């Protein structure tokens, strides 16, 4: 398995950049893949966009010290929970988590500055998980296709349910949410 420190060395060798001074650090698709995030990530002081997608990471850890992080790309891993984001909660604006194994949205409520969440093709199956978006009032764009909840409701009330639960959302699965969807959603959710 590739360690974070080696992935950073690979990135520096390929890009001729000093990772600690670089705003966009790309550690995705390592061969062999990265299995563990660790505290070495904290050395990336200038990093605004960290890409760790297409690895075999199971847990989000080691983000302490990434004081400028705005975009975290973790798609196509084996992550089961949204834990480990506390240290970047204040700065994180985009979280790319598609193609993982997340079934609960615990932890999302701490990401008060989140604007974009890509969560397609995970395992979320219950509407109650959407209650956790109450604190993420800056969220504008959500990608949620391919989750069991989407599959179960896509032909009926899916867009209304989401619009009713996250009324400030501007775009769902690539399509803008309109006022009618919000109004109907509010009625459904109020029940």
């Amino acid at each position: 398995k590739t360690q974070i420190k080696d992935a950073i060395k690979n990135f520096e060798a390929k890009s001729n950049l000093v990772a600690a001074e670089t705003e966009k650090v790309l550690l995705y698709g390592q061969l062999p893949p990265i299995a563990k995030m660790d505290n070495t990530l904290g050395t990336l002081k200038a990093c605004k966009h960290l890409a760790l997608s297409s690895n075999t990471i199971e847990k989000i850890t080691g983000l302490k010290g990434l004081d400028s992080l705005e975009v975290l790309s973790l798609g196509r891993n084996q992550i089961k929970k949204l834990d480990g984001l506390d240290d970047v909660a204040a700065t994180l604006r985009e979280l790319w988590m598609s193609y993982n194994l997340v079934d609960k949205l615990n932890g999302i409520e701490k990401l008060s500055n989140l604007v974009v969440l890509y969560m397609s093709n995970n395992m979320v199956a219950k509407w109650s998980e959407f209650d956790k978006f109450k604190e993420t009032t800056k969220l504008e764009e959500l990608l949620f296709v391919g989750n069991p909840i989407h599959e179960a409701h896509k032909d009926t009330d899916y867009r209304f349910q989401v619009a009713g639960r996250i009324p400030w959302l501007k775009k769902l699965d690539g399509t803008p949410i309109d006022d009618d969807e919000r109004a109907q959603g509010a009625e459904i959710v109020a029940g």
Side-chain angles (χ1 to χ4, degrees), residues 147-161:
N147 277 277
I149 194 98
H150 170 262
E151 297 307 307
H153 294 267
K154 66 181 177 192
D155 297 327
T156 54
D157 59 352
Y158 168 72
R159 286 185 64 85
F160 299 128
Q161 287 274 6

Side-chain angles (χ1 to χ4, degrees), residues 119-124 144-151 158 173:
M119 271 293 294
S120 71
N121 299 286
N122 273 278
M123 312 301 278
V124 179
F144 223 80
V145 293
N147 277 277
I149 194 98
H150 170 262
E151 297 307 307
Y158 168 72
D173 301 330

Side-chain angles (χ1 to χ4, degrees), residues 38-56:
D38 63 43
N39 295 338
T40 316
L41 291 167
T43 62
L44 305 174
K45 294 292 177 207
C47 185
K48 287 185 176 177
H49 182 155
L50 177 60
L52 283 159
S53 49
S54 300
N55 281 294
T56 57

Side-chain angles (χ1 to χ4, degrees), residues 5 11 16 19 25 27 42 48 56 59 77 80-81 87-88 92 95 107-108 112 118 121 141 157-158 164 169 178:
K5 65 178 185 337
F11 167 77
N16 287 324
V25 180
L27 307 178
K48 287 185 176 177
T56 57
K59 260 175 111 170
N77 275 290
K80 297 179 183 79
K81 292 182 177 167
D87 291 317
V88 294
L92 200 65
L95 181 59
I108 204 76
S112 53
Y118 295 147
N121 299 286
E141 186 176 345
D157 59 352
Y158 168 72
L169 200 63
D178 61 40

Side-chain angles (χ1 to χ4, degrees), residues 92-120:
L92 200 65
R93 293 173 51 78
E94 298 191 19
L95 181 59
W96 304 354
M97 284 293 301
S98 294
Y99 295 93
N100 273 289
L101 305 168
V102 176
D103 64 347
K104 293 193 168 49
L105 297 173
N106 298 352
I108 204 76
E109 66 282 350
K110 294 172 184 160
L111 306 181
S112 53
N113 289 307
L114 200 64
V115 178
V116 175
L117 177 62
Y118 295 147
M119 271 293 294
S120 71

